[in-house]
Amino acid sequence: MARYRATVESPRAPQAVFDYLSDFSTTQEWDPGVAEAERRDDGPIAVGSEFRVVAEFMGRRTPLTYVVTALDAPRSITLRGENATVVSLDTITVEPAEGAGALVSYDADLQLKGPLGLADPLLKLVFKRIGDRALGGLRAALATPLTSRGT
């Protein structure tokens, strides 16, 4: 299993940051490894809300279906992404920063299914590179005005 953890500070209000990130379709705006992202249902984000994300991974476009598995708004959200070859578990936690703004913790676990699990050491190296790129995009997105979905 490959794991990536990171923390990002934002001058934005914690509620605005949580609203933005809990709509996982925004990953297309800040993660350079995401080619497409869309919400597959309507209404408020809740346990069971579903997103389709197409990631560019090792030269291939890989669609995953993400489902919200836990939600403690406006503090944390956990999403499970899956396709035929991989399972991803992403937890985003948003807390007030000292003074003002928000502190975002992102914890992602990626596990290859079946015999592909033998490639785990390679996956760890690749996942760190992918995570670092996504972290740079997230930092940039949270440092500027949030425009998605009217926030």
Side-chain angles (χ1 to χ4, degrees):
M1 174 181 355
R3 187 170 198 179
Y4 189 85
R5 289 190 216 173
T7 302
V8 175
E9 286 190 56
S10 173
R12 308 287 164 233
Q15 181 73 54
V17 170
F18 184 83
D19 290 347
Y20 178 73
L21 294 176
S22 64
D23 180 348
F24 212 56
S25 67
T26 64
T27 56
Q28 185 177 357
E29 297 173 14
W30 55 264
D31 186 341
V34 172
E36 300 173 31
E38 66 180 349
R39 178 130 184 236
R40 298 187 71 151
D41 54 16
D42 296 318
I45 304 292
V47 171
S49 292
E50 203 171 287
F51 301 87
R52 180 179 177 273
V53 174
V54 178
E56 292 180 354
F57 185 71
M58 298 180 74
R60 294 194 168 141
R61 292 172 64 100
T62 306
L64 293 107
T65 299
Y66 278 86
V67 177
V68 175
T69 60
L71 180 66
D72 180 16
R75 189 179 183 289
S76 69
I77 185 168
T78 300
L79 301 104
R80 184 177 193 275
E82 186 171 9
N83 64 19
T85 59
V86 69
V87 174
S88 181
L89 192 63
D90 298 46
T91 299
I92 302 166
T93 305
V94 179
E95 299 177 25
E98 285 189 38
L103 190 62
V104 178
S105 298
Y106 202 110
D107 189 347
D109 289 320
L110 191 65
Q111 186 169 8
L112 294 170
K113 292 181 174 180
L116 291 174
L118 296 173
D120 201 43
L122 173 63
L123 178 64
K124 287 179 183 180
L125 294 173
V126 173
F127 196 42
K128 179 177 179 352
R129 194 172 317 128
I130 290 168
D132 287 346
R133 289 179 56 218
L135 181 62
L138 182 59
R139 259 193 196 105
L142 295 180
T144 59
L146 299 176
T147 59
S148 235
R149 316 294 180 262
T151 57

